[in-house]
């Protein structure tokens, strides 16, 4: 999903490389590790970081732990389904990219047919879990997210346009909407604002990564922005989206208290400093470290959403909308 690149650069799970048993048989640990790698669990970690605070904000209180657990289980299955199906579709480009050449389908740790079935079963299971333990709206949103990620992003945009992660990244914004729907049974304006925060966060986050792995994407024929544009243009776009993202986080202030607003403003200033520093280095033609911004983008998102959760749990008076 739009957070699909969140774990890139950390390496693949070591369970995939566990030693085989005597006779060439794969150990249960190796098999389980291969299927787990298909689901990209490190990507899912960041998805959950945004889902839980959305549930806190929806009720302005600590949500029912069982509801949180059910939502996370169903959401994890949905994300795992999308990631596994993505691995099936992108197996051809994964094998030519150094960053992804250790994935299970590239190494033949999981047969392609099995990976397809695994992804489909996870998707069906995610709908069932959310439908029976949460509500119908959350279940429908989860399936819609899977379909959007596969058909719009992976099959439609990824290999065709440098705007792939901008519009395709909308799939990664959906966990906050699902979390909100799980608590309220509806979708209201704060859920759309949280959606927007992640939507505008995705390009700076992903383009910083793509600056580092530009050659990988070029070799695979994926037209990420750093492949088709100059570093100066990419850095400028990162700064623009970063400013919009930070401003967008402040739109949540009417639904929160001064505590969230303060953390969002301070974290935003911190992130903007590094975004501008990256652009300045690119413009000067000196060595840059885009992965530093990539990792800071993860930290930034966690700060903002953790602030949402704490603010909601404490229950301070909300700022509210003017004239209301």
């Amino acid at each position: 999903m739009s957070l699909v690149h969140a774990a890139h650069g950390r390496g693949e799970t070591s369970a995939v490389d566990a030693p085989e048993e005597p006779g060439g048989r794969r150990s249960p640990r190796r098999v389980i590790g291969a299927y787990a790698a298909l689901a990209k669990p490190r990507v899912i970690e960041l998805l959950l970081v945004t889902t839980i605070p959305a549930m806190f904000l929806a009720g302005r209180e600590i949500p029912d732990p069982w509801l949180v657990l059910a939502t996370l289980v169903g959401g994890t299955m949905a994300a795992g389904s999308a990631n596994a199906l993505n691995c099936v579709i992108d197996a051809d480009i994964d094998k030519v990219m150094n960053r992804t050449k250790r994935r299970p389908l590239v190494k033949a740790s999981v047969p392609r047919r099995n990976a397809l079935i695994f992804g489909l079963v996870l998707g069906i299971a995610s709908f069932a879990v959310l439908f029976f333990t949460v509500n119908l709206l959350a279940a429908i949103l989860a399936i819609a997210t899977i379909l959007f990620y596969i058909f719009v992003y992976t099959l439609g945009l990824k290999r065709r346009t440098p705007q792939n992660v901008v519009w395709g990244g909308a799939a990664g914004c959906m966990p906050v909407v699902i979390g909100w729907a799980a608590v309220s049974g509806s979708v209201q304006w704060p859920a759309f604002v949280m959606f927007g925060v992640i939507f505008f966060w995705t390009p700076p986050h992903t383009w910083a990564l793509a600056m580092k792995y530009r050659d990988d994407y070029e070799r695979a024929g994926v037209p990420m922005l750093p492949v088709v544009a100059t570093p100066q243009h990419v850095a400028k776009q990162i700064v623009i989206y970063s400013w919009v993202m930070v401003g967008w986080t402040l739109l949540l202030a009417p639904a929160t208290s001064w505590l969230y607003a303060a953390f969002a403003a301070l974290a935003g200033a911190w992130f903007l400093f590094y975004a501008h520093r990256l652009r300045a280095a690119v413009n000067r033609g000196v060595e840059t470290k885009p992965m530093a911004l990539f990792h800071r983008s993860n930290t930034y998102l966690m700060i903002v959403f953790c602030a949402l959760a704490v603010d909601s749990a404490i229950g301070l008076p909300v700022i509210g909308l003017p004239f209301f």
Side-chain angles (χ1 to χ4, degrees), residues 64-259:
D64 177 5
W66 290 111
L67 179 63
V68 173
L69 179 62
T71 305
L72 294 185
V73 170
T76 297
M77 288 180 172
S81 169
N83 290 334
L85 294 174
N86 172 265
C87 284
V88 173
I89 297 167
D90 281 350
D92 61 324
I93 61 176
D94 282 347
K95 67 182 179 182
V96 300
M97 296 177 67
N98 291 329
R99 185 172 46 79
T100 57
K101 65 183 181 182
R102 297 171 64 83
R103 286 181 176 168
L105 288 180
V106 178
K107 297 182 63 182
S109 301
V110 176
R112 187 183 181 91
R113 177 175 177 273
N114 290 14
L116 176 62
I117 294 173
F118 176 69
L120 294 174
V121 169
L122 273 182
I124 295 170
S126 72
F127 180 87
V129 168
L130 291 171
F131 176 71
F132 288 110
T133 64
V134 182
N135 57 49
L136 177 60
L137 179 58
I140 291 175
L141 290 172
I143 294 300
T145 302
I146 296 171
L147 295 176
F148 184 92
Y149 184 66
I150 295 304
F151 290 101
V152 176
Y153 171 66
T154 306
L155 291 174
L157 298 173
K158 185 173 183 178
R159 307 191 196 200
R160 291 181 172 86
T161 171
Q163 294 295 306
N164 46 20
V165 299
V166 176
W167 302 109
C173 309
M174 287 302 293
V176 294
V177 182
I178 294 170
W180 184 282
V183 172
S184 68
S186 63
V187 180
Q188 297 168 304
W189 72 265
F192 290 112
V193 176
M194 287 186 288
F195 178 101
V197 170
I198 303 172
F199 182 84
F200 293 115
W201 169 87
T202 301
H205 169 77
T206 309
W207 289 336
L209 175 83
M211 289 177 73
K212 169 69 174 178
Y213 293 103
R214 180 191 178 281
D215 292 343
D216 256 4
Y217 285 111
E218 185 174 32
R219 185 164 52 249
V222 178
M224 297 293 284
L225 188 63
V227 174
V228 301
T230 65
Q232 291 78 12
H233 178 75
V234 176
K236 179 181 177 181
Q237 291 299 308
I238 286 176
V239 168
I240 291 173
Y241 274 92
S242 297
W243 271 100
V244 176
M245 171 191 69
V246 171
W248 204 268
T249 64
L250 299 179
L251 295 180
L252 282 171
T256 61
S257 76
W258 65 266
L259 182 65

